[in-house]
Amino acid sequence: MRIPSAAPTRLGDDEAAAVRAAVERVIADGPWILGPEVESFEADFAAYTGLPHAVGVGNGTDALAVAMSALGLAPGAGVLVAADEGGYAATAARLVGLVPVVMDVARSGVVDVATASAAHRPGVEAVVVTHLHGDAVPLAELDAWRRRHGLALVEDCAQAHGLRIGGRHVGTTGDAATFSFYPTKNLGAVGDAGLVGFSDTSVAERARALRQYGWTDERFRPDLPSGRNTRLDPLQAAVLSARLPHLDARNLRRRELARRWRDALAGSAVLWGDPETTVAHHAVAVTDDRDGLAAHLSARGIDTAVHYPHLVGEMPGLSAEGAPTPVAASLARRILSVPCFPELTDDEADRVGAALQDWTPRG
Ligand SMILES: *Cc1c(COP(=O)(O)O)cnc(C)c1O
């Protein structure tokens, strides 16, 4: 049997019964739009992360779009996005009439104050930082920098549920935090789902209106521009409430797998991220012989993936602005995601570990 690079439908025995019960409950009791299941997941997730306000939406891309609209940026304003963020923040910016401006990344693979400063230009009103692969950007420094420049800060936490830095959850530093619960994420739904968190009460209220046609006080009357329909589905909310209590344990399992891969690759490739804090959404090997490693693993029945093969500045549909991003371009040719999900069996983990251990890069 091949080992897949992700396996979201492999629910662990500990979670499967609770997930099925949650779905049955919503079907039997309703309501099927918004209502107590959505409110209770929002409250649970806010309590878990320490976010003052949580607004459930349809997916992680809409979470970014709703966040940007709710923050009230000027039409046509620039939004700084990382060149290697996968295109999600840039897509959301375009959806709400904003202009993505790409930042290169540091050699660590994430943006920092130097790369953000280099990309900053007149007309930019916000910066989106993406906590990529389960690791945080240098948040304290970036937060101080953006405050000096009067920029809004959106933290894209779609790959970093449960990630804490100095005891504090990512997402609680910026003006908005966005989450996707796409099935492969660290906290996954059984379909599309997302959430956006805020510290400011009135911004959160705007987001609540924006996710439902822009209605504020009255039904059937959009009051805000950029309203849309992107409510969190109560079926998904109930599933997420059932799975949230397992998130920390599942993240520990991811971190433990990433540690094994790091040790197994020592001397032949670097593994992305901080071994102490990572929630290892992806386990990304960085090597000049990426294609060699992919072929070696594939020959041993192990699937891999590249997150992400394309830079935001090269995505035809987004027409992002900004200077070339050579560091991100070089990294995009050297990264390979190795299977790293909590439901990997012990046998599969042994196979992946052994295969990584007996790989030697060419050249
Ligand atoms: C998955 C992901 C998104 C988009 O989430 P969807 O729910 O698929 O819309 C946004 N940002 C990042 C970093 C992601 O990994």
Side-chain angles (χ1 to χ4, degrees):
M1 282 282 278
R2 291 192 70 82
I3 301 175
S5 61
T9 59
R10 267 194 211 182
L11 270 182
D13 291 341
D14 49 345
E15 294 188 286
V19 165
R20 283 173 205 283
V23 171
E24 292 292 334
R25 184 175 73 238
V26 176
I27 291 173
D29 299 349
W32 291 354
I33 297 290
L34 294 178
E37 295 284 356
V38 171
E39 286 163 23
S40 113
F41 175 66
E42 289 172 341
D44 290 350
F45 198 73
Y48 171 75
T49 53
L51 281 161
H53 304 283
V55 181
V57 295
N59 58 69
T61 307
D62 279 349
L64 285 157
V66 166
M68 292 179 205
S69 301
L71 289 169
L73 309 176
V79 177
L80 296 171
V81 302
D84 62 352
E85 60 94 10
Y88 304 105
T91 296
R94 284 294 184 200
L95 275 172
V96 297
L98 301 168
V99 178
V101 179
V102 290
M103 303 178 274
D104 203 357
V105 295
R107 290 165 57 89
S108 63
V110 292
V111 299
D112 64 8
V113 168
T115 66
S117 302
H120 186 34
R121 61 180 211 196
V124 165
E125 292 191 6
V127 52
V128 180
V129 297
T130 302
H131 301 301
L132 203 61
H133 307 317
D135 284 276
V137 303
L139 206 46
E141 295 86 341
L142 280 160
D143 186 41
W145 173 81
R146 67 94 182 193
R147 285 178 188 281
R148 280 200 302 281
H149 292 275
L151 304 180
L153 175 62
V154 177
E155 293 180 63
D156 185 350
C157 306
Q159 303 188 0
H161 320 66
L163 173 60
R164 297 154 172 94
I165 300 298
R168 178 171 175 174
H169 277 268
V170 294
T172 55
T173 299
D175 301 301
T178 64
F179 295 84
S180 164
F181 306 113
Y182 183 88
T184 58
K185 307 294 192 192
N186 293 46
L187 179 60
V190 298
D192 278 310
L195 180 140
V196 55
F198 300 97
S199 48
D200 186 276
T201 308
S202 59
V203 177
E205 282 316 304
R206 257 201 314 278
R208 257 178 226 292
L210 288 166
R211 78 167 168 192
Q212 182 159 243
Y213 319 115
W215 296 348
T216 58
D217 299 330
E218 213 180 296
R219 283 163 68 84
F220 312 123
R221 190 191 67 195
D223 294 327
L224 301 179
S226 298
R228 63 192 62 227
N229 174 10
T230 181
R231 296 172 290 231
L232 174 60
D233 181 339
L235 276 172
Q236 304 301 344
V239 166
L240 292 165
S241 292
R243 302 196 74 184
L244 181 58
H246 300 276
L247 174 58
D248 284 338
R250 294 179 77 246
N251 277 347
L252 280 177
R253 167 82 173 150
R254 287 176 182 270
R255 184 181 300 158
E256 187 186 295
L257 291 169
R259 278 214 180 117
R260 284 181 67 181
W261 303 169
R262 183 175 281 104
D263 292 347
L265 283 168
S268 51
V270 168
L271 199 84
W272 186 293
D274 180 337
E276 302 304 320
T277 57
T278 187
V279 293
H281 174 63
H282 297 127
V284 177
V286 184
T287 164
D288 289 340
D289 188 20
R290 180 264 300 281
D291 295 345
L293 178 55
H296 170 86
L297 293 174
S298 181
R300 282 156 186 76
I302 300 164
D303 290 340
T304 57
V306 175
H307 301 99
Y308 295 97
H310 304 292
L311 300 181
V312 173
E314 295 165 359
M315 296 176 178
L318 299 179
S319 308
E321 299 187 0
T325 55
V327 180
S330 153
L331 265 173
R333 292 189 292 271
R334 292 187 290 131
I335 48 176
L336 188 72
S337 303
V338 177
C340 183
F341 50 88
E343 291 75 23
L344 210 60
T345 66
D346 291 339
D347 282 353
E348 288 173 327
D350 290 345
R351 272 172 64 195
V352 175
L356 293 174
Q357 184 105 44
D358 59 52
W359 177 65
T360 315
R362 273 176 310 219

